[in-house]
Amino acid sequence: MLLYTYPENFRAYKALIAAQYSGAKVDIAPNFVFGETNRTESFLKKFPLGKVPALETDDGKYLAESNAIAYYVSNAQLRGASDFEKAEVLQWLSFADNEIGPAAAAWVYPALGYIQFNKLSHERAKQDIARSLERLQARLVNNTYLVGERITLADIVVFTSLLSLFQHVADPAYRKPFFAVNRWFNTILNQPQTKAVVKNFTFCEKETPFDPKKYAEFQAKFGGGAQQKEKKEKEKKEKQPQQPAAEKKKKEKEAEPAEEMDEAELALAAEPKSKDPFDSLPKGTFNMDDFKRVYSNEDEAKSIPYFFEKFDPENYSIWYGEYKYPEELTKVFMSCNLITGMFQRLDKMRKQAFASCCLFGEDNNSTISGVWVWRGQELAFGLSPDWQIDYESYDWKKLDPSSEETKKLVTQYFSWTGTDKGGRKFNQGKIFK
Amino acid sequence: MGVDKEITKIANYINFPIKGKLSFTEDNIIQMKEKDKFIIGFSTIVNFFHDLNEKEQTQQSIENYYLTKQFFDFANVFIRSTSKRDKYAACLELNEYLETRSYLIGQSLSLADLVVFYALNDIMVQLSPLEKENYLNLSRWYDYLQNQPPILQTGKVINFSTIHLLGWNTARA
């Protein structure tokens, strides 16, 4: 039997370890190049999705999906003794795919530089994995293996799904409470059948931190919108206090070789690319990200002149928006929620837009108005149906970028000073960036 | 379970013909007749099996070979001790030892597991469900071994259900 895979693919490990137990003869297809071989017509004819691992039997049958392949090359012991045990094996395979898999990817991939680091999903992934480990612990406190009293495919598959976690991100302190899982993991790891397949495994001593450089390299190689990503990354960096990226581990190998990725990982890495409605408009010379960075990091005395210096009036426009129904505004905090809610609904607009919205006055006597900047000369809200919820509640006035009046207004709103037309004092401001 | 029975079971497990070879000396020490000679004493006999087993399937490292012998003595001296305190100390120690291990030696079954398993039988049948839960890791390991038919042979399965009431119920039945 021929197994198509790139090296050190944990999904292929399932079948390879199972074959060690059953004695099934599984050879790894020689000269397989990920991204090339699996794109060829002859490969796609056999495996229409072009995913690996993929198995070709001696009598010319084809099997995709790692669990199915592993099941096929297993023996009776690995599949489970009774009907119920077989179902239990299946239960753990699904557990590995649904409970461990996605969270493991969210935690490990940023560490390997496949995807952008995100603090929120990082924390959530850590919690999710802890929950899965608790589940495993509950079983393994009372039992040596996951199903029955023998090693089964369940052990092999769950083990492989934990490999990258235990190697790259789950440090000793994190693993410590799950003593039964550790005991079991060690046992599976040290079975001769596993050792014949999984080489070079070392337990994580210290969580591998996200390395923007590695990520950038990876994106340059594989990411479709590499440039866009980089920009986004800069933006993120400025928002989040820098993680300890400075101290890069020397022993750490350079970016994972390209072949390490399979389709699923690539799909994850490439994040859903929803089209940016601003793409249809010319880019111009004004760099929104640069301006936002200056605005966040520098004093207004610097950032506002910077804005006028760099502003590209041909491709960008400045707008004044005023809330139409100030008489309905009551509590200040509710009005602020109105603004932030609008910002949230306009999330996809952020990349190419900037705004400072201010609330003037106090409870039961206030107004909302703001100065907006975006790409293009028209009201940007027409570009996407997602953006049309709030804008009709505002009066929009396009400002002449060259006039002194505009300069004054921009300065006032960007620096959160002054009063509204009715003389109400500035109360609170919100920045859309 | 008498030592003769334990030795018979271990012999069965390694496929060593034992029929009619066991007897006791005048001092009531077990002995086994092997090629016109007597091998005397539990530890000696088990060590004889150990060497036999090693010759047939040498997979253990030297370190594990001697560690296995150590467990034979442990079973003989502590688990089979007449002092109750020794016995429970042995259980506690095993329980701790098994927290990080699935087997006593290395990552697979060895004669060390078998010898300790059989020696523990008398203690395990007497443990209350609550005590079994205190020896969590030991119980897990014991339960694993008794679920291997070649090891259990004619023995009775001890209940390790963590559902207390069920445990009590079956213990009384």
Side-chain angles (χ1 to χ4, degrees):
Chain A
M1 283 179 278
L2 215 50
L3 186 72
Y4 296 91
T5 179
Y6 53 87
E8 293 186 21
N9 177 356
F10 84 90
R11 291 190 179 86
Y13 281 171
K14 302 176 191 174
L16 292 171
I17 298 171
Q20 288 285 328
Y21 277 94
S22 69
K25 206 173 164 310
V26 178
D27 295 313
I28 294 179
N31 309 325
F32 177 86
V33 181
F34 183 74
E36 286 180 25
T37 315
N38 56 326
R39 297 250 183 280
T40 59
E41 205 176 308
S42 63
F43 189 92
L44 290 172
K45 225 176 221 170
K46 297 173 191 172
F47 309 102
L49 286 175
K51 282 166 83 170
V52 292
L55 185 82
E56 184 173 346
T57 66
D58 293 337
D59 52 351
K61 287 179 190 149
Y62 307 109
L63 203 54
E65 293 297 338
S66 59
N67 289 344
I69 297 170
Y71 187 83
Y72 178 66
V73 302
S74 288
N75 57 15
Q77 181 196 320
L78 291 185
R79 288 175 191 155
S82 61
D83 278 352
F84 188 73
E85 279 193 14
K86 287 188 176 85
E88 278 184 299
V89 168
L90 215 54
Q91 167 197 296
W92 288 111
L93 300 203
S94 300
F95 175 82
D97 284 351
N98 304 331
E99 302 298 322
I100 302 175
W107 191 3
V108 175
Y109 289 170
L112 298 179
Y114 295 171
I115 57 172
Q116 174 65 49
F117 178 87
N118 176 303
K119 194 145 197 289
L120 205 70
S121 47
H122 175 81
E123 290 306 318
R124 197 178 303 148
K126 275 179 86 163
Q127 281 169 18
D128 287 351
I129 292 295
R131 241 195 6 235
S132 293
L133 292 178
E134 262 164 42
R135 168 68 190 97
L136 286 169
Q137 171 88 356
R139 161 78 196 182
L140 294 168
V141 158
N142 296 312
N143 297 82
T144 300
Y145 299 115
L146 288 177
V147 175
E149 295 292 352
R150 288 288 193 86
I151 287 187
T152 63
L153 196 56
D155 298 296
I156 297 172
V157 169
V158 174
F159 164 81
T160 55
S161 70
L162 292 173
L163 265 178
S164 62
L165 283 168
F166 281 21
Q167 178 153 19
H168 298 293
V169 290
D171 61 20
Y174 183 88
R175 298 194 305 263
K176 199 175 170 227
F178 311 107
F179 64 91
V181 180
N182 296 329
R183 189 261 313 152
W184 162 88
F185 187 89
N186 253 315
T187 296
I188 307 295
L189 178 68
N190 285 299
Q191 295 303 304
Q193 292 87 344
T194 313
K195 276 200 212 155
V197 174
V198 181
K199 291 158 184 156
N200 315 323
F201 175 86
T202 44
F203 278 103
C204 165
E205 281 303 319
K206 197 168 160 267
E207 181 174 349
T208 309
F210 175 69
D211 178 357
K213 219 175 96 205
K214 214 150 111 188
Y215 171 69
E217 277 168 23
F218 184 82
Q219 284 302 313
K221 250 178 182 166
F222 292 100
Q227 252 193 336
Q228 244 181 28
K229 285 277 167 57
E230 243 172 43
K231 267 192 208 162
K232 227 169 117 190
E233 184 186 319
K234 279 183 203 155
E235 204 181 306
K236 284 248 172 72
K237 260 200 315 201
E238 104 187 286
K239 270 190 215 152
Q240 295 163 3
Q242 188 66 305
Q243 50 261 2
E247 262 282 83
K248 276 289 91 56
K249 286 194 250 161
K250 279 154 241 141
K251 63 177 179 195
E252 190 148 300
K253 289 174 240 150
E254 327 73 75
E256 294 279 315
E259 296 77 41
E260 299 273 315
M261 297 286 277
D262 78 0
E263 294 288 323
E265 289 161 2
L266 274 175
L268 254 164
E271 281 180 20
K273 265 183 223 131
S274 53
K275 254 185 111 190
D276 187 344
F278 280 113
D279 280 350
S280 56
L281 301 168
K283 276 198 178 109
T285 60
F286 180 65
N287 188 326
M288 196 59 94
D289 288 320
D290 281 347
F291 163 66
K292 285 177 189 171
R293 187 164 33 248
V294 172
Y295 183 78
S296 311
N297 296 341
E298 306 282 351
D299 201 64
E300 282 87 25
K302 253 188 179 173
S303 60
I304 294 170
Y306 179 94
F307 173 76
F308 283 108
E309 182 195 328
K310 301 280 181 187
F311 186 73
D312 168 12
E314 233 169 85
N315 297 301
Y316 289 79
S317 52
I318 308 173
W319 295 73
Y320 176 80
E322 188 176 11
Y323 191 61
K324 281 184 189 167
Y325 318 106
E327 64 280 2
E328 288 174 11
L329 299 176
T330 53
K331 297 278 180 211
V332 164
F333 78 89
M334 286 162 75
S335 311
C336 285
N337 288 345
L338 195 72
I339 303 173
T340 44
M342 174 181 185
F343 284 179
Q344 269 164 22
R345 287 183 283 275
L346 295 175
D347 190 49
K348 286 221 175 102
M349 215 173 124
R350 279 178 209 275
K351 261 190 207 163
Q352 303 303 341
F354 175 88
S356 174
C357 274
C358 300
L359 181 105
F360 299 93
E362 68 262 325
D363 283 355
N364 302 317
N365 176 22
S366 58
T367 63
I368 296 172
S369 50
V371 167
W372 293 68
V373 180
W374 55 64
R375 189 194 283 182
Q377 297 299 335
E378 302 302 316
L379 260 186
F381 308 106
L383 291 170
S384 165
D386 296 343
W387 298 344
Q388 293 168 11
I389 299 162
D390 303 86
Y391 88 103
E392 281 176 333
S393 316
Y394 289 77
D395 277 322
W396 295 97
K397 193 173 91 192
K398 195 173 174 183
L399 303 177
D400 173 9
S402 56
S403 80
E404 273 308 309
E405 206 180 316
T406 302
K407 270 190 186 160
K408 250 183 167 167
L409 210 60
V410 166
T411 309
Q412 184 204 328
Y413 276 88
F414 282 16
S415 57
W416 291 355
T417 49
T419 59
D420 69 356
K421 287 174 201 155
R424 295 177 189 83
K425 272 193 192 147
F426 170 83
N427 185 318
Q428 283 196 44
K430 300 270 175 207
I431 297 293
F432 180 74
K433 62 173 181 160
Chain B
M1 184 162 41
V3 282
D4 51 336
K5 249 189 174 169
E6 290 179 29
I7 287 182
T8 311
K9 283 186 175 176
I10 297 165
N12 284 343
Y13 184 81
I14 63 166
N15 287 322
F16 180 82
I18 192 112
K19 274 221 161 97
K21 286 183 176 176
L22 291 182
S23 56
F24 288 89
T25 66
E26 285 172 7
D27 305 331
N28 206 22
I29 294 174
I30 188 137
Q31 58 180 3
M32 182 175 82
K33 200 174 179 189
E34 174 69 12
K35 289 179 190 153
D36 303 329
K37 272 185 188 161
F38 280 101
I39 304 171
I40 302 168
F42 179 84
S43 279
T44 330
I45 299 173
V46 173
N47 271 307
F48 170 77
F49 289 154
H50 185 35
D51 289 343
L52 215 65
N53 204 34
E54 278 302 295
K55 253 178 233 163
E56 271 177 28
Q57 31 179 312
T58 42
Q59 341 147 296
Q60 283 194 332
S61 64
I62 294 185
E63 191 195 358
N64 285 348
Y65 173 82
Y66 287 105
L67 256 175
T68 308
K69 284 169 172 286
Q70 206 174 308
F71 273 105
F72 297 161
D73 293 336
F74 178 80
N76 221 11
V77 176
F78 289 100
I79 300 174
R80 239 190 293 280
S81 165
T82 45
S83 136
K84 231 182 172 177
R85 247 179 57 196
D86 273 2
K87 284 186 184 181
Y88 286 104
C91 286
L92 259 168
E93 201 176 325
L94 277 174
N95 185 58
E96 221 166 88
Y97 182 83
L98 285 164
E99 178 173 323
T100 55
R101 293 174 177 83
S102 299
Y103 305 94
L104 290 181
I105 310 276
Q107 298 291 359
S108 58
L109 272 175
S110 67
L111 279 190
D113 292 297
L114 258 75
V115 170
V116 173
F117 172 78
Y118 292 131
L120 269 175
N121 185 267
D122 292 344
I123 299 179
M124 295 310 271
V125 287
Q126 287 172 25
L127 290 185
S128 70
L130 205 67
E131 284 171 309
K132 284 177 196 162
E133 216 161 274
N134 284 340
Y135 301 125
L136 202 58
N137 307 307
L138 178 61
S139 296
R140 180 210 76 232
W141 169 86
Y142 193 93
D143 194 31
Y144 169 73
L145 283 151
Q146 71 169 0
N147 273 293
Q148 311 299 320
I151 297 176
L152 185 69
Q153 297 176 28
T154 54
K156 276 208 178 104
V157 172
I158 299 171
N159 195 321
F160 280 96
S161 169
T162 43
I163 307 166
H164 292 190
L165 285 176
L166 182 70
W168 280 109
N169 216 2
T170 30
R172 279 175 186 171

